Every structure is written in structure tokens, then in C-alpha cells.
Amino acid sequence: MPPAGPTYDLVIAANRLPVDKVVADDGEVEWRRSPGGLVTAMESVMRTQPGAWVGWAGDAGEAPEPFDEHGIYLHPVSLSADEVRDYYEGFANDTLWPIYHDVIVPATFHREWWASYQAVNERFAEAVAQVAAEGARVWVQDYQLQLVPALVRKLRPDVRIGWFNHIPFPPVELFAQLPWRAQLLEGLLGADFLGFQRQADARNFVRACRQLLGASTKRDRVTVEGAHRQVRAAAIPISVDFQGLEELAKRPDVMARAREIRASVGDPEVLMLGVDRLDYTKGIRHRLKAYEELLSERHLGPPEVTLVQVATPSRERVDAYRNLRAEIEQTVGRINGELGKIGAPAVHYMHHSYPREEMAALFQAADVMLVTPLRDGMNLVAKEYVTCRHDLGGALVLSEFTGAWHELHQAFACNPHDIEGLKQTILRAVNTPAKDKQRIMKALRRRVADHDVQRWAARYLAALDAAPDQPSPETRGRPTPHAQETPLMPAPAEAAEAAEAAGTAGTPARGVRS
Ligand code: ADP
Ligand code: G6P
């Protein structure tokens, strides 16, 4: 079928578009930035080069017509109300999300959800096939679209296909619980290159192929299609737009707003901050428990110390999320009731999304940033915090179970399951002399500045181009021309590094088993 609209050399497919369609009661349509780290990262990548983004507009029903947004061609894919329930809330977020995050809550398996996941993945693949130019690079994102690589390969054998997993990939013992495990692996193996946040995730994937499919594997490669093709699975940890965010954080109005925020919570000696999607993986309950105990044991207390917890609404129709919200709000109420003072609440709890400027101001206002997930693929909030601290102020408390910790190991590391240990870490972050904290912050900032999202995208695309199964003229049409064309190609040394050792991008784990 000939393409009906424009085609692009780079096509991103992600469950969500970077903007969500919101229809007000009076029928007025508004586009709002979509939640989550995937959108934050991919939007900054796509703003710097021409390309198309295939995704859902966040609303059930017919898809809006394709449109341009800040230079990105957005191609909406429709989801019916049943598909929102079965594919998105069901299979993606009530089956895969728990399995991929260490089963912090039990996963639910329903065959109708799986059927819906297949149908929606097919629709995404068809949309990708429509907007991809001859020999394009197709870059599929995340756990919602694991069947898309193989489906696109069938429809468009001429394109080069990559997939990046923004979340962890589980150990085979957990992955094996999925009744559709073989189909998911086969879907992914349709790609030329598979990117993961940590080496442990890539290794888990390769092991799953060996143990569950009987595939032949060697280091980071899986052999498929009767030895005709190899797929590479390697770690390339994602990052933030360091330069763009730092510039924003240096704006006088943003810095003034940071001072205003501090003043509005009573100019405390220590302002602690938590910023998360309201998700059970983020360890918000553990953080509140540690904080509550520190207060009730009088190690800390308002008005000298306060906690601002910003919790973005997320997946609110899924039971585990609804229950979590109720529990968090009850806990905050109890802490304030028992340990707050008139005019000096112990916790300021906000259940909203904020503009980027406000987030940058919040980060600058915070003396201690609490990032305590039980499991997180990366956690961009940790990297955003250090990016915004151009003043070298602040301290980052960071869970060992985040991808970010594998790069930011100078941070105040914590195991959020160990409440006593978490309390001690928070106290250390408060009490460490300012000079030492500045030294730490400098090191953290250097790491993020040197490994920003632009470098991540360049490394990813170079690894995709250099993946083992280079297209041959018989099977793939004309050779892909993009290696010379993309403005995002890395410097030669970096290209060689990515081509040779894409799997060694992350700092090796220290002291954490995965
Ligand atoms: P996840 O992708 O699981 O939500 P990350 O920490 O990787 O977690 O990314 C979260 C992204 O969402 C960050 O860019 C962060 O700044 C943004 N964010 C989180 N909470 C809010 C909020 N209340 N308002 C606006 N942006 C938010
Ligand atoms: C995480 C996932 C993304 C997802 C985001 C927000 O970052 O990796 O794929 O888009 O959370 O979740 P939501 O379900 O609202 O898209």
C-alpha cells in the first residue's frame, strides 16, 4: 500500500504522543504535555532532528488527524475505550508493569487483555509502516509495544528497527510467569538492536531467549531465523537534556521562584522534596515512613524541616494505583495531624502536574531530594535535580534500585526497604558539611553533563546502524543512507565506541545484585 501522507527517515513509536488531548466540558480541545520520563527524554531528542512520532493521544475514540508540533510530525493512533481498559490499563500496566518491576504488586493475567495488546500493537505497526520512508530507522519505545518490532519487519523489511526499554527487564524467573512470554520475546527479536537501561536488563533478556526459546546466544547477541540473523541486546542508559534544563534553571525568574517557594513553606532550615508519578514502584510509602519516624523520634521536626511531596496523577483507574493514592493521602493526613504545627505542616502534598519552570524552581528550592524507588528503570528526576543545582547546593538521596544509581553512585545511597538505614541516610544528607556536599554535587553534575540525552540518542542510533545484521540488498532494498545524514551522529570516537561496545555504556553495578 503506498503511503498516504509524508514519510520520514526517523520514526519513533511510543504508546503516548508527547502531548495529550484533553477535552473540556464545553468541548474545547487542549493539548497538554504527557506525563513520564519517556516523553521528557524523547521530546528533547526529536526537537533536534526531523522525524515522525507515532503514538496515542491519551483519549479514547477516533484518532485526531496527524499534525506538526514544534517540528515533530505527530501521527496519532486510535484506542477504543475497551482497548484503553484492556491493552493500556490492563495488559501494559496491570500485567507487564508489575512483572517488570519485581512484582511489587501481583500481576494480573487475562487472555482478553493479551488479545487487545496484540491488536493495538498491530495498529501501531501499520501506522509506522505508513510514515517510514524507504530504508528509515524505526525506533520503538517501551514495554507497551513489544510486538511492534517483528510486526514492522514483516510489513517493511527495508527499514532498520530498534527498540528501547525505559523500564527494567525482569529476571527470567519472573518473566517466565507470563503466559505469552515466547510471543513477547519473538516480537522483540524482530528488531535489529534492543537497548536497555542497565547491563543486567540486557543480560536478563538474552537469558530469557536462551532459556525460554532455546535460542542460541553469545554474549550480547541472540541468533534468530535459523541462524540467518543476529539481534544485539545492550545497555545504553537514558538521560536528560542537561544544557536545556540547566539554562532554564539559571533563568532569573526561575531562581526567584525557588526563593519564593522556600518562603511560602516558612523558610525552613531543611526543605526535603519528593517528585514522582504516583506509582507503587517509587517507594513513596517507604519515604514517608522513614520521615514520620524521624519526626516522631525528634531527630527532625517542623518548622525547621518540612517535606514537599509532589505526586503526579497516574493510571488512576488501575486498582493498585487507586489504592496507593488513598494510602499516601491518608498517611500524609496522619503525619500532619500528629506531627505538624499550626502554620507549619510536616508534609506539603501536591497531586498535580507542573510546568517545567516550576519543576526547575522546586529542584532548586530543595536541600534534600528524596528518590527512593523500590525499582526504577532509570529515574530521570534524580538527573534533573542535579542538573538544576548549578549552585552546587542540595543533596541527593538515591535508591540503589534505580538505573540512575548505577551512574550517580556518589549520591547518598539508600535501600528503601531498610527503613532504619533510610533514616540514617536522610540524616547524613542533612548533616554532611556543605563543602563535602558541594564536592559530591559537582561530581554528580559532571556525570550527567557528560552523558546527556543527546549523547544517549547518538549512541543509540549509532549502535542501531552498527547492529550485526546490516541490511543486504537482496533482503532489504537499497542500503540505508542515514549514517551520513543525521545531525545526531556522534563524534567518530564515540561512534566507534558505540559500534564496538554499546553494551558497556553503563557503569558496572557496585554492591547491588539484580
Ligand atoms: P517515570 O517515567 O516513571 O514517571 P522519571 O523520573 O524517569 O519517572 O520521569 C518523570 C518525569 O516526569 C520527569 O521528567 C519529571 O520532571 C516529570 N514530572 C514528575 N512529576 C511531575 C509533575 N508533578 N509535574 C510535571 N512534571 C513532572
Ligand atoms: C514510564 C513509562 C512510560 C510511560 C510513563 C507514564 O515512564 O516508561 O512508557 O509513558 O511512565 O505513564 P503513562 O501510563 O501515563 O503513559
Side-chain angles (χ1 to χ4, degrees):
M1 190 178 60
T7 61
Y8 290 82
D9 287 332
L10 177 64
V11 178
I12 302 285
N15 175 55
R16 273 188 192 280
L17 289 173
V19 283
D20 270 352
K21 182 177 161 197
V22 182
V23 184
D25 290 342
D26 61 3
E28 185 105 348
V29 171
E30 197 195 319
W31 290 92
R32 281 196 210 144
R33 191 149 182 267
S34 310
L38 184 158
V39 161
T40 307
M42 295 314 299
E43 198 183 20
S44 24
V45 169
M46 293 301 280
R47 289 253 167 105
T48 60
Q49 60 184 318
W53 186 318
V54 171
W56 172 49
D59 193 28
E62 243 177 70
E65 285 302 308
F67 60 103
D68 272 297
E69 219 245 357
H70 298 295
I72 313 173
Y73 179 76
L74 303 187
H75 182 104
V77 171
S78 68
L79 292 189
S80 68
D82 284 356
E83 286 167 343
V84 173
R85 187 192 59 211
D86 295 346
Y87 148 77
Y88 167 70
E89 292 164 349
F91 198 79
N93 289 316
D94 212 0
T95 304
L96 295 176
W97 185 268
I99 291 274
Y100 284 41
H101 288 89
D102 288 357
V103 200
I104 297 166
V105 304
T108 308
F109 303 124
H110 286 306
R111 282 164 282 186
E112 324 73 270
W113 290 1
W114 166 245
S116 184
Y117 185 82
Q118 287 173 291
V120 172
N121 271 246
E122 274 164 25
R123 195 168 312 137
F124 268 82
E126 280 156 17
V128 165
Q130 234 182 62
V131 294
E134 175 82 23
R137 288 149 147 176
V138 170
W139 192 356
V140 184
Q141 310 290 322
D142 234 355
Y143 61 101
Q144 300 95 339
L145 302 180
Q146 292 178 84
L147 306 180
V148 171
L151 292 165
V152 169
R153 179 172 288 275
K154 250 200 225 141
L155 294 169
R156 290 290 304 272
D158 59 296
V159 300
R160 196 129 183 95
I161 306 165
W163 176 79
F164 184 78
N165 199 28
H166 293 252
I167 67 172
F169 197 88
V172 65
E173 294 75 12
L174 293 181
F175 185 78
Q177 290 181 18
L178 283 162
W180 309 280
R181 61 200 193 184
Q183 291 97 314
L184 288 166
L185 294 175
E186 280 157 4
L188 292 175
L189 288 170
D192 296 289
F193 177 68
L194 300 165
F196 296 85
Q197 300 280 24
R198 302 171 311 151
Q199 288 182 39
D201 297 315
R203 277 199 299 268
N204 285 345
F205 172 78
V206 171
R207 205 171 296 138
C209 291
R210 194 168 57 242
Q211 292 186 12
L212 302 174
L213 293 183
S216 134
T217 67
K218 193 166 180 205
R219 286 197 297 272
D220 60 358
R221 288 166 193 216
V222 183
T223 302
V224 292
E225 291 170 14
H228 289 306
R229 218 163 58 78
Q230 279 196 331
V231 180
R232 188 169 200 193
I236 300 199
I238 201 165
S239 194
V240 296
D241 175 13
F242 185 87
Q243 209 189 330
L245 186 55
E246 191 193 39
E247 258 168 42
L248 180 73
K250 282 183 171 167
R251 259 172 39 188
D253 58 320
V254 171
M255 290 170 66
R257 176 65 191 144
R259 290 190 291 276
E260 206 176 285
I261 290 172
R262 287 190 72 91
S264 67
V265 295
D267 264 326
E269 280 168 29
V270 182
L271 193 162
M272 302 207 193
L273 176 66
V275 170
D276 316 81
R277 252 181 334 96
L278 194 39
D279 195 300
Y280 51 81
T281 58
K282 303 290 182 183
I284 307 172
R285 284 189 301 120
H286 297 65
R287 183 185 311 165
L288 289 175
K289 181 149 187 62
Y291 180 67
E292 181 176 16
E293 289 188 13
L294 285 171
L295 261 53
S296 58
E297 291 162 10
R298 301 191 184 283
H299 295 290
L300 302 173
E304 291 80 15
V305 175
T306 196
L307 168 64
V308 175
Q309 174 64 54
V310 178
T312 323
S314 189
R315 307 173 191 168
E316 297 201 291
R317 296 198 315 177
V318 179
D319 280 349
Y321 289 78
R322 231 196 329 251
N323 297 341
L324 177 75
R325 179 173 174 190
E327 201 184 332
I328 297 293
E329 295 188 350
Q330 201 180 16
T331 308
V332 169
R334 190 187 60 235
I335 297 177
N336 277 334
E338 289 175 7
L339 299 160
K341 299 199 170 128
I342 288 180
V347 186
H348 298 260
Y349 171 80
M350 257 73 64
H351 187 244
H352 316 283
S353 274
Y354 291 104
R356 273 161 41 87
E357 290 78 1
E358 184 74 359
M359 299 305 291
L362 270 167
F363 289 140
Q364 283 188 71
D367 301 297
V368 178
M369 181 79 216
L370 300 174
V371 179
T372 59
L374 308 177
R375 175 59 77 204
D376 206 334
M378 173 50 65
N379 197 284
L380 291 182
V381 164
K383 291 185 171 181
E384 288 172 354
Y385 178 65
V386 304
T387 302
C388 288
R389 298 316 303 246
H390 50 83
D391 60 343
L392 301 187
L396 174 64
V397 170
L398 183 58
S399 161
E400 295 166 2
F401 303 108
T402 61
W405 184 75
H406 292 261
E407 296 175 73
L408 304 179
H409 38 76
Q410 296 95 338
F412 292 88
C414 70
N415 167 5
H417 298 281
D418 171 9
I419 299 297
E420 215 43 62
L422 177 55
K423 284 159 63 183
Q424 294 312 315
T425 307
I426 294 174
L427 288 178
R428 252 188 331 114
V430 171
N431 295 325
T432 296
K435 238 174 142 186
D436 295 337
K437 286 199 271 206
Q438 284 173 4
R439 198 176 28 76
I440 293 171
M441 187 54 76
K442 208 169 178 177
L444 297 176
R445 285 171 53 75
R446 195 175 313 124
R447 169 73 203 188
V448 181
D450 289 348
H451 295 81
D452 66 357
V453 75
Q454 281 78 19
R455 178 174 169 176
W456 169 78
R459 295 193 66 178
Y460 186 95
L461 293 173
L464 174 60
D465 292 342
D469 182 36
Q470 288 292 358
S472 72
E474 317 82 75
T475 54
R476 289 179 166 262
R478 70 179 168 84
T480 50
H482 40 245
Q484 283 80 39
E485 284 174 9
T486 168
L488 260 183
M489 284 305 292
E494 204 172 325
E497 186 192 349
E500 228 178 68
T504 58
T507 315
R510 292 195 195 172
V512 164
R513 279 170 302 157
S514 34

Short mmCIF file of all heavy atoms in Angstrom, two decimals, residues 36-37 40 275 277 282 310 312 352-354 359 379-381 384, ligand 1:
data_model
loop_
_atom_site.label_atom_id
_atom_site.label_comp_id
_atom_site.label_asym_id
_atom_site.label_seq_id
_atom_site.Cartn_x
_atom_site.Cartn_y
_atom_site.Cartn_z
N GLY A 36 5.52 11.53 32.40
CA GLY A 36 6.52 10.46 32.40
C GLY A 36 7.85 10.81 31.75
O GLY A 36 7.97 11.75 30.96
N GLY A 37 8.84 10.00 32.13
CA GLY A 37 10.22 10.23 31.69
C GLY A 37 10.44 9.95 30.21
O GLY A 37 11.28 10.60 29.58
N THR A 40 9.63 13.10 28.37
CA THR A 40 10.64 14.13 28.66
C THR A 40 11.88 13.89 27.79
O THR A 40 12.40 14.80 27.15
CB THR A 40 11.08 14.06 30.15
OG1 THR A 40 9.92 14.11 30.97
CG2 THR A 40 12.01 15.19 30.51
N VAL A 275 9.49 13.99 44.19
CA VAL A 275 8.75 14.26 42.94
C VAL A 275 8.60 12.95 42.20
O VAL A 275 9.59 12.34 41.78
CB VAL A 275 9.53 15.26 42.05
CG1 VAL A 275 8.89 15.35 40.66
CG2 VAL A 275 9.61 16.64 42.67
N ARG A 277 5.71 10.27 39.72
CA ARG A 277 4.37 9.83 39.33
C ARG A 277 3.87 9.03 40.51
O ARG A 277 4.65 8.34 41.18
CB ARG A 277 4.44 8.93 38.09
CG ARG A 277 3.94 9.54 36.84
CD ARG A 277 3.99 8.64 35.63
NE ARG A 277 4.99 7.62 35.69
CZ ARG A 277 4.78 6.37 36.09
NH1 ARG A 277 3.58 5.97 36.46
NH2 ARG A 277 5.77 5.51 36.12
N LYS A 282 7.73 3.72 43.18
CA LYS A 282 8.56 4.87 43.55
C LYS A 282 8.95 4.90 45.02
O LYS A 282 9.70 5.79 45.44
CB LYS A 282 7.85 6.18 43.17
CG LYS A 282 7.48 6.29 41.69
CD LYS A 282 8.71 6.46 40.79
CE LYS A 282 8.33 6.62 39.34
NZ LYS A 282 9.48 6.72 38.44
N VAL A 310 5.51 16.05 45.72
CA VAL A 310 4.71 16.29 44.51
C VAL A 310 4.45 14.92 43.88
O VAL A 310 5.38 14.18 43.58
CB VAL A 310 5.49 17.18 43.51
CG1 VAL A 310 4.70 17.37 42.24
CG2 VAL A 310 5.81 18.53 44.14
N THR A 312 2.50 13.19 40.77
CA THR A 312 1.72 13.38 39.53
C THR A 312 0.66 12.29 39.43
O THR A 312 0.98 11.10 39.58
CB THR A 312 2.63 13.19 38.29
OG1 THR A 312 3.89 13.73 38.59
CG2 THR A 312 2.04 13.79 37.05
N HIS A 352 -0.54 17.27 41.49
CA HIS A 352 -0.72 17.97 40.21
C HIS A 352 0.48 17.74 39.32
O HIS A 352 1.55 17.42 39.80
CB HIS A 352 -0.65 19.50 40.32
CG HIS A 352 -1.35 20.13 41.41
ND1 HIS A 352 -2.69 20.29 41.39
CD2 HIS A 352 -0.90 20.70 42.56
CE1 HIS A 352 -3.04 20.94 42.49
NE2 HIS A 352 -1.98 21.19 43.22
N SER A 353 0.30 18.14 38.07
CA SER A 353 1.44 18.30 37.17
C SER A 353 1.79 19.77 37.13
O SER A 353 0.91 20.62 37.26
CB SER A 353 1.04 17.87 35.77
OG SER A 353 1.22 16.50 35.68
N TYR A 354 3.07 20.08 36.96
CA TYR A 354 3.51 21.47 36.91
C TYR A 354 4.29 21.72 35.62
O TYR A 354 4.88 20.81 35.06
CB TYR A 354 4.45 21.76 38.08
CG TYR A 354 3.76 21.76 39.42
CD1 TYR A 354 3.89 20.69 40.29
CD2 TYR A 354 2.97 22.84 39.79
CE1 TYR A 354 3.25 20.70 41.52
CE2 TYR A 354 2.33 22.85 41.02
CZ TYR A 354 2.47 21.78 41.87
OH TYR A 354 1.83 21.78 43.08
N MET A 359 9.02 23.03 38.01
CA MET A 359 9.80 21.87 38.47
C MET A 359 11.25 22.28 38.73
O MET A 359 11.85 21.91 39.74
CB MET A 359 9.79 20.75 37.42
CG MET A 359 8.43 20.19 37.08
SD MET A 359 7.52 19.60 38.50
CE MET A 359 8.48 18.19 38.93
N ASN A 379 15.02 6.65 36.43
CA ASN A 379 14.62 7.77 37.28
C ASN A 379 15.31 9.05 36.81
O ASN A 379 16.41 9.41 37.25
CB ASN A 379 14.88 7.56 38.77
CG ASN A 379 14.06 8.56 39.59
OD1 ASN A 379 14.44 9.73 39.66
ND2 ASN A 379 12.95 8.14 40.12
N LEU A 380 14.61 9.73 35.93
CA LEU A 380 15.14 10.98 35.38
C LEU A 380 15.07 12.12 36.39
O LEU A 380 15.84 13.08 36.31
CB LEU A 380 14.39 11.35 34.10
CG LEU A 380 14.66 10.44 32.91
CD1 LEU A 380 13.91 10.92 31.68
CD2 LEU A 380 16.17 10.37 32.60
N VAL A 381 14.15 12.02 37.35
CA VAL A 381 14.04 13.07 38.37
C VAL A 381 15.39 13.26 39.06
O VAL A 381 15.83 14.39 39.30
CB VAL A 381 12.92 12.72 39.39
CG1 VAL A 381 13.05 13.56 40.65
CG2 VAL A 381 11.55 12.95 38.74
N GLU A 384 17.54 15.21 36.78
CA GLU A 384 17.04 16.58 36.64
C GLU A 384 17.44 17.40 37.88
O GLU A 384 17.80 18.57 37.76
CB GLU A 384 15.52 16.58 36.48
CG GLU A 384 15.09 16.05 35.12
CD GLU A 384 13.58 15.85 35.00
OE1 GLU A 384 12.85 16.00 36.01
OE2 GLU A 384 13.11 15.52 33.90
P1 ADP B 1 8.64 7.95 35.28
O1 ADP B 1 8.99 7.99 33.85
O2 ADP B 1 8.49 6.60 35.84
O3 ADP B 1 7.47 8.82 35.63
P2 ADP B 1 11.10 9.52 35.70
O4 ADP B 1 11.67 10.04 36.96
O5 ADP B 1 12.07 8.85 34.80
O6 ADP B 1 9.89 8.58 36.10
O7 ADP B 1 10.47 10.70 34.86
C1 ADP B 1 9.45 11.52 35.37
C2 ADP B 1 9.37 12.79 34.54
O8 ADP B 1 8.14 13.45 34.84
C3 ADP B 1 10.48 13.77 34.85
O9 ADP B 1 10.83 14.46 33.67
C4 ADP B 1 9.82 14.72 35.86
O10 ADP B 1 10.35 16.03 35.88
C5 ADP B 1 8.39 14.75 35.35
N1 ADP B 1 7.45 15.02 36.46
C6 ADP B 1 7.28 14.29 37.57
N2 ADP B 1 6.32 14.83 38.35
C7 ADP B 1 5.89 15.92 37.71
C8 ADP B 1 4.89 16.92 37.98
N3 ADP B 1 4.16 16.88 39.09
N4 ADP B 1 4.72 17.90 37.08
C9 ADP B 1 5.45 17.93 35.95
N5 ADP B 1 6.39 17.04 35.63
C10 ADP B 1 6.60 16.03 36.49
#
